[in-house]
Amino acid sequence: MTLSSRLAAASAVLALGLSGCAASWAPQVNPVPYYTYYPASLGVVAAAAEKALPQAGMQFTGSKQVSPDTVEVHGYDSEGNAILITLRTKGAAVTKFSARIGLYGHLREVEEIEHWMGQYVGQAIARP
């Protein structure tokens, strides 16, 4: 075996070994944004988000009207991770919900918020 083929083989083994190490500790990032649609106006869904955060064990810190069709709801989870909920109107009675907690998403916590929001939106649209 020549020196160049030994170096190539050693480089390949080293690269494979390092890539395996990096994959074992790298955080899992959800490449697909988490969102859902609610059959309600932007105002109803924004009010539901404000109520849902405390019910999910999180802190609501405020909301902001970004544009006529977008509202951002802010808060923190129990670990101090920032929560950003973005609500966008998609029609008179359809609002898109998307949420992000911390740097990597925290899907389980987002699903907990969505559970409570679904209950509050359901109550609001069930009223006459």
Side-chain angles (χ1 to χ4, degrees):
M1 196 176 223
T2 66
L3 179 61
S4 62
S5 62
R6 286 183 191 166
L7 286 174
S11 296
V13 169
L14 182 62
L16 288 174
L18 289 178
S19 67
C21 291
S24 66
W25 62 267
Q28 296 298 311
V29 178
N30 184 5
V32 179
Y34 188 82
Y35 65 89
T36 192
Y37 291 90
Y38 289 101
S41 68
L42 182 61
V44 168
V45 178
E50 291 177 19
K51 293 178 191 175
L53 285 175
Q55 289 297 324
M58 300 170 200
Q59 181 180 355
F60 168 74
T61 58
S63 61
K64 165 172 84 166
Q65 184 90 31
V66 177
S67 69
D69 65 342
T70 304
V71 170
E72 289 181 350
V73 178
H74 300 271
Y76 289 95
D77 69 1
S78 60
E79 298 174 1
N81 294 309
I83 298 170
L84 172 62
I85 297 173
T86 305
L87 305 170
R88 286 192 176 87
T89 186
K90 295 296 182 180
V94 177
T95 302
K96 181 181 178 182
F97 161 91
S98 62
R100 183 108 176 132
I101 299 176
L103 187 59
Y104 298 110
H106 300 264
L107 183 59
R108 185 175 45 225
E109 289 87 352
V110 172
E111 289 173 338
E112 182 70 17
I113 295 169
E114 183 191 31
H115 165 77
W116 287 104
M117 284 187 59
Q119 287 195 0
Y120 289 123
V121 169
Q123 290 171 1
I125 63 177
R127 289 186 210 130

